[in-house]
Structure formats: structure tokens, C-alpha cells
């Protein structure tokens, strides 16, 4: 199903559910789910060591997410990760440089999901600052510009 058709079907379903709930509910429904991603830099780590990154996805929209979405943690070369979350199912993609956490539909307005990603740095790495990013992929997000953020890994 194309994004346009999905968007129209979602709006129609939302309107049908809220029929009779009043104009404020209809306006909130029209806004849809809107994800915002944040991630503080993890603690510095020595080559051969590991540290934790805790990216957060918050639904700042007017309705719960209607479909599952995925939170991706993209790691730089020389760094691999594994992830877990109480609100998502996480898997490390081949080569270990991306951790994908799938969040089921139904993340309520104002609710957040936090992942715990253990970042392991290759041994022998020189001290430097590496960059990675976190992104959330939700079809029909009204403001996709806030669905990605960068973090820095300081190798000491």
C-alpha cells in the first residue's frame, strides 16, 4: 500500500472512531503520531571496552502509533552493538554496525520507549571521537526531521 493510500486509510479509520467525540478529538486525530528521537552521548570508552547508549523515542503527536515502527542505531566502523528494550524487540543486523528495535503499534501520545544498546569498541583503536546516529522510521510521520539525531562516542 502506498504511503498516500495508507495515510488516507488511517485518517478515515481515525475519524470513524472519533465520530461524535467532538472537534478537539478530531483535531488530535488529524495530527497523528509524531515521533521525536533523542540520545545522549555514551560514557567515554577505551579501545576493547564497551559502554551503553540509551536512545529514546517519544510520541509527541495526538494519537497512538497505528503501526509498528523501528528505531535504528547506526554505529561507525570499529564499533558494534547489541540492544534490548522492555518496549521493543531488538536485533543486531549483519556485521553488527546497526541495531534495530521494532516497537509494536500503540505507543500512546506522550509515551516513550528507551532502548539499551551496548556499544563495543574494537581493541587497539586510537583515542578519537566517532559519530553514530539514531533514527526512527514511522510511515506518515508529519515531521520526519526530528526522527534522527547524532551521538558521539569518545574513545580514550
Amino acid at each position: 500500500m502506498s504511503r498516500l493510500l495508507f495515510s488516507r486509510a488511517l485518517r478515515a479509520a481515525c475519524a470513524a472512531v472519533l465520530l461524535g467525540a467532538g472537534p478537539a478529538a478530531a483535531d488530535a486525530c488529524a495530527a497523528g503520531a509524531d515521533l521525536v528521537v533523542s540520545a545522549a552521548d555514551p560514557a567515554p570508552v577505551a579501545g576493547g571496552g564497551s559502554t551503553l547508549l540509551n536512545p529514546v523515542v517519544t510520541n509527541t503527536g495526538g494519537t497512538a502509533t497505528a503501526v509498528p515502527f523501528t528505531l535504528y542505531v547506526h554505529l561507525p566502523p570499529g564499533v558494534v552493538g547489541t540492544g534490548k528494550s522492555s518496549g521493543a524487540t531488538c536485533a543486531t543486523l549483519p556485521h553488527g554496525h546497526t541495531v534495530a528495535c521494532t516497537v509494536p503499534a500503540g505507543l500512546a501520545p506522550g509515551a516513550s520507549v528507551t532502548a539499551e544498546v551496548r556499544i563495543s569498541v574494537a581493541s587497539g583503536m586510537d583515542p578519537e571521537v566517532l559519530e553514530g546516529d539514531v533514527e526512527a522510521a514511522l510511515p506518515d510521520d508529519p515531521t520526519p526531521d526530528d526522527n534522527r539525531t547524532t551521538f558521539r562516542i569518545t574513545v580514550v
Side-chain angles (χ1 to χ4, degrees), residues 28-143:
C29 185
D34 181 18
L35 301 182
V36 175
V37 175
S38 61
D41 294 344
V45 62
S50 66
T51 188
L52 290 176
L53 175 71
N54 295 109
V56 178
V57 180
T58 303
N59 179 1
T60 62
T63 63
T65 54
V67 296
F69 67 89
T70 304
L71 170 68
Y72 294 98
V73 177
H74 302 287
L75 300 168
V79 180
V80 295
T82 57
K84 65 181 181 177
S85 172
S86 61
T89 302
C90 298
T92 303
L93 301 183
H95 307 293
H97 298 294
T98 300
V99 175
C101 297
T102 302
V103 180
L107 184 64
S112 297
V113 171
T114 303
E116 180 180 286
V117 178
R118 177 154 303 279
I119 296 171
S120 299
V121 176
S123 60
M125 286 190 75
D126 292 330
E128 63 182 307
V129 176
L130 305 169
E131 285 194 356
D133 67 74
V134 179
E135 69 172 314
L138 175 69
D140 208 32
D141 188 309
T143 56

